[in-house]
Amino acid sequence: MIAQEEVSPGSAEEGENYFVSMTDMMVGILFIFIIMLMVFALDFRTQTDVQENAIEIAKEIAQRLSELEEEVREQISSLDEAQDTRRRMLEDIQNQLASRGLHVQIDEAHGVLRLTEEAVRFPVNSTELGSQARANVETIALVLANVLPNYSACDSGLTDRRCSSSGLAFVETVFVEGHTDVTGNDERNWQLSTERAVNTYRALVTAAPSLRDLRNEKSEEVLSVSGYSSTRPINAAETKAAWEENRRIDLRFVMEVDNRKRLQQIMGLTDEMKIEIDRLVNASGDGS
């Protein structure tokens, strides 16, 4: 049984980037909200006829704002930590592969290890790994089996089912992504890209069975597969050389960053601040 298959575009990268973008937006709104509250509170302080109750509420809001600011800073720091952890992991994999004579590209911004045509090449209209490509995939598998346990939440292959409690950022999923060039039938290209990913996945776990023991924090297998047809070319030129580049396998590393939970936390905190504003307004109204 293989890990999750996916044949529609826009899964891992868009999901991750979407929630990071949403977090950035919420943080921006939150800071605007904080500025407005501070102006509001300072305005009350300048009024001589404000009730003492309103002043006390304003002090409470100032304290709550300080706590809220620290919470936002911690959340931004956790996102930065996950990004930095992924960068170090990719560089570690790249360096270990280079020491074995296999050169790959990394895209730090999107967490992608690109297995170029020098590493894994597929013939036109084929999903089979040639002898050299299979040997290269086996080398990649051994390096992944050496590096990934250091960045995985759990390892079910050990007798004590090791689960880290370090609090560091962990790998949530490693997508084995299949790609095709733009030539040929689009429906066939979807099939080709997915089968290329599946065959690469099978070669990886055959060479290093321990990869299937690695789990994320939800106890799901880390390795998964996806196919993107010709929708994500790395070379848009209409040439044979470009098409060869685009018939490739990418490994996309998605970190454990629960953006949805963070957004809910921020929204909950802003709701609390709205309640405090209402208290302040009501207290001011009573004293006017």
Side-chain angles (χ1 to χ4, degrees), residues 200-234:
T200 303
Y201 166 87
R202 286 174 173 156
L204 286 169
V205 298
T206 297
S210 63
L211 289 173
R212 294 205 63 178
D213 295 327
L214 301 178
R215 297 287 193 273
N216 58 28
E217 291 186 334
K218 297 187 288 290
S219 296
E220 300 166 340
E221 289 190 32
V222 167
L223 255 61
S224 187
V225 301
S226 56
Y228 291 98
S229 183
S230 59
T231 62
R232 297 188 179 187
I234 55 174

Side-chain angles (χ1 to χ4, degrees), residues 39 55 58 79 82 87 94 129 141 163 216 220 255 278:
V39 172
I55 296 176
L79 291 172
R87 176 189 56 77
Q94 184 185 43
L129 290 165
C163 288
N216 58 28
E220 300 166 340
M255 306 302 288
D278 289 340

